Amino acid sequence: MALSEKTIDIIQSTVPVLEVHGVTITSVFYKNMFRNHPELLNIFNHANQSQGRQQTALANMVYAAAKNIDQLENVLPAVKQVAHKHRGLGVKPEHYPIVGEHLLGAIKEVLGDAATDEIINAWAEAYGVIAQVFIDVEADMYKTSEEQPGGWEGFKELKVIDKVKESDVITSFYLKAKDGKGLPAFEPGQYITVRLHIPGEKYALNRQYSLSCAPGHDYYRISVKKEADHEPFGKVSNYLHEKVNVGDTIEASVPAGDFTLNMKETAPVAFISGGVGLTPFMSMLETLVKKDSKRDITFIHSARHEGVHAFGEDVKNMTEKLENGRFFYGYENPADQHGGHHFSGYITKEFLEKHIAKDTICYVCGPVPFLKSAVLMLKDLGIAESNIRYEFFGPAINLQMDKTAV
């Protein structure tokens, strides 16, 4: 359904207001929606709510949609990224009217008399179009995930066949289907959504974890960082580390995500990670090794100290198998460094300039401060924006660069 010129003009006139009040509107939206539909707490990540990241991500999405309301194809990449998360979580078409009702209500509540009937009606019309874009994209994703070999609908029980401590804070879980059937293929860099029913918790808890092994195994592997044990951030990771053991089962949905390695590209590639952000790169690196890639491949990892540095030997062994592979690591305290592949302290622009050529495709993943720093340094070095690819764990936020990350 095409929007009228009048509706487009009204929506675009609200862009400055959304820039100022967007997060307030989305915060009111979530509060009211969960009060009236608490069952949706089985889908949403409670930790992201408490941190404000979900509210910020939605505000960015609404702002971007309003700004591009006459050319929604401009936000399609962002739509697809969010749609992957929705498909993994089980967001369905019947949820969109609920969202629409409470989003319009929040706009009215926050803006008061400034939200005239004309503005609310225009947004109702625009929301219908935007929601349909999501519904259509997600319908294709659901169909693909269910109909592919080994695929399934919704969540399925996976059995833990091995549990391996990778560092002081990261533990890997090897998973196979409890029913003995094969697992669907995935692209290196994708994640699965894990759903846990933790004793004492009223609602299911969902978390999305990157697959840390290459496709082609008869198992999945996720590598989970044990977060600080206080509400609500470490609830799921602590439960996995402390309570879930070999022989136990967890629920998961089919792999999803668009932060993936493009195997058709031949340009130099660099993987730049901080902390547990290296997990999708373990899948990408192993894939390149299995394919006997001749690409120039650089693996750069930053960790707080040696005790929390996971997969160090694995990365060393894999890069040594590559014709043009190299790896570097660094810790917060330069005194902790040893060996010939380290850099002192934090990743610097000078270090990146020395080891990364201008035509390198750079994949970046890690905590938000690390991500922001690394991406901005790469931009300053003249790496093309199309060659800087980054992944957020959780809802994406605005990196305050030239584009809105949603």
Side-chain angles (χ1 to χ4, degrees):
M1 183 182 77
L3 295 171
S4 68
E5 282 298 322
K6 183 180 179 183
T7 296
I8 289 171
D9 289 343
I10 293 170
I11 295 299
Q12 290 182 330
S13 75
T14 65
V15 167
V17 177
L18 292 173
E19 195 167 16
V20 175
H21 298 289
V23 174
T24 304
I25 290 169
T26 55
S27 298
V28 170
F29 154 74
Y30 279 117
K31 180 188 71 175
N32 292 344
M33 185 174 70
F34 290 143
R35 182 183 65 231
N36 295 322
H37 293 273
E39 72 279 3
L40 294 180
L41 287 166
N42 287 305
I43 294 176
F44 286 85
N45 183 319
H46 308 173
N48 290 332
Q49 289 291 322
S50 65
Q51 287 178 297
R53 291 192 63 185
Q54 195 81 52
Q55 296 88 328
T56 302
L58 179 59
N60 289 342
M61 183 81 248
V62 173
Y63 174 80
K67 197 172 182 180
N68 294 276
I69 195 66
D70 56 337
Q71 293 178 301
L72 281 175
E73 64 272 14
N74 290 344
V75 297
L76 197 55
V79 168
K80 286 182 176 177
Q81 184 187 51
V82 175
H84 274 285
K85 294 182 182 294
H86 284 179
R87 202 278 295 156
L89 290 164
V91 174
K92 294 293 182 69
E94 57 265 29
H95 295 132
Y96 281 92
I98 298 171
V99 170
E101 175 192 346
H102 289 89
L103 185 59
L104 294 174
I107 292 173
K108 185 71 176 173
E109 183 175 334
V110 172
L111 300 185
D113 292 340
T116 63
D117 288 347
E118 188 176 52
I119 286 175
I120 293 298
N121 291 337
W123 262 105
E125 186 184 345
Y127 175 80
V129 171
I130 295 166
Q132 195 59 50
V133 171
F134 274 97
I135 290 168
D136 291 345
V137 169
E138 289 161 16
D140 287 341
M141 291 181 176
Y142 277 110
K143 189 172 189 294
T144 300
S145 67
E146 293 166 21
E147 293 181 359
Q148 66 182 304
W152 63 84
E153 179 182 357
F155 287 83
K156 178 174 178 171
E157 284 192 306
L158 303 184
K159 185 176 181 179
V160 179
I161 61 165
D162 202 4
K163 181 179 179 181
V164 178
K165 187 173 182 179
E166 309 289 2
S167 77
D168 292 350
V169 293
I170 295 176
T171 292
S172 289
F173 297 82
Y174 290 75
L175 308 167
K176 285 188 176 183
K178 183 183 178 183
D179 61 14
K181 295 181 179 178
L183 296 169
F186 62 93
E187 295 182 57
Q190 289 193 305
Y191 54 80
I192 58 172
T193 302
V194 170
R195 181 171 72 182
L196 295 179
H197 301 274
I198 297 178
E201 291 294 323
K202 186 175 181 180
Y203 301 104
L205 297 176
N206 300 287
R207 295 292 185 273
Q208 291 171 328
Y209 294 113
S210 297
L211 291 159
S212 60
C213 62
H217 297 287
D218 63 350
Y219 57 79
Y220 288 161
R221 182 178 74 178
I222 57 173
S223 302
V224 179
K225 178 188 176 187
K226 185 178 183 181
E227 302 290 351
D229 188 15
H230 55 78
E231 298 290 349
F233 313 107
K235 194 173 291 182
V236 170
S237 64
N238 277 268
Y239 186 82
L240 286 168
H241 275 248
E242 296 171 6
K243 303 295 184 182
V244 176
N245 296 301
V246 174
D248 292 337
T249 59
I250 60 174
E251 292 183 316
S253 57
V254 171
D258 61 355
F259 181 67
T260 55
L261 180 65
N262 186 339
M263 293 299 294
K264 294 179 181 178
E265 294 174 326
T266 57
V269 60
F271 304 114
I272 305 168
S273 59
V276 75
L278 88 168
T279 51
F281 299 152
M282 296 304 296
S283 177
M284 296 183 188
L285 182 62
E286 186 188 350
T287 299
L288 290 168
V289 172
K290 289 174 74 172
K291 299 291 185 183
D292 193 27
S293 175
K294 308 302 180 190
R295 295 175 74 175
D296 188 89
I297 299 164
T298 305
F299 196 104
I300 301 169
H301 182 62
S302 177
R304 291 201 315 276
H305 54 78
E306 188 174 18
V308 297
H309 181 184
F311 299 115
E313 281 299 310
D314 292 341
V315 171
K316 177 177 181 292
N317 293 336
M318 284 194 284
T319 51
E320 287 176 350
K321 291 178 182 177
L322 292 164
E323 189 172 307
N324 299 298
R326 68 196 62 81
F327 72 95
F328 302 94
Y329 64 89
Y331 304 142
E332 277 185 10
N333 183 358
D336 293 340
Q337 316 295 344
H338 54 82
H341 297 274
H342 68 268
F343 52 87
S344 295
Y346 297 103
I347 297 172
T348 64
K349 189 161 73 171
E350 292 72 28
F351 173 83
L352 292 175
E353 188 172 29
K354 181 178 179 182
H355 296 288
I356 294 179
K358 284 275 173 60
D359 62 340
T360 301
I361 297 169
C362 300
Y363 291 83
V364 189
C365 188
V368 171
F370 171 89
L371 195 64
K372 180 183 289 189
S373 173
V375 170
L376 291 177
M377 283 190 288
L378 292 169
K379 286 171 68 77
D380 286 346
L381 290 173
I383 304 294
E385 190 164 334
S386 60
N387 284 349
I388 303 174
R389 302 165 190 181
Y390 46 91
E391 172 79 324
F392 294 88
F393 285 164
I397 61 168
N398 194 333
L399 281 187
Q400 295 179 338
M401 294 183 290
D402 294 337
K403 65 179 182 177
T404 300
V406 181

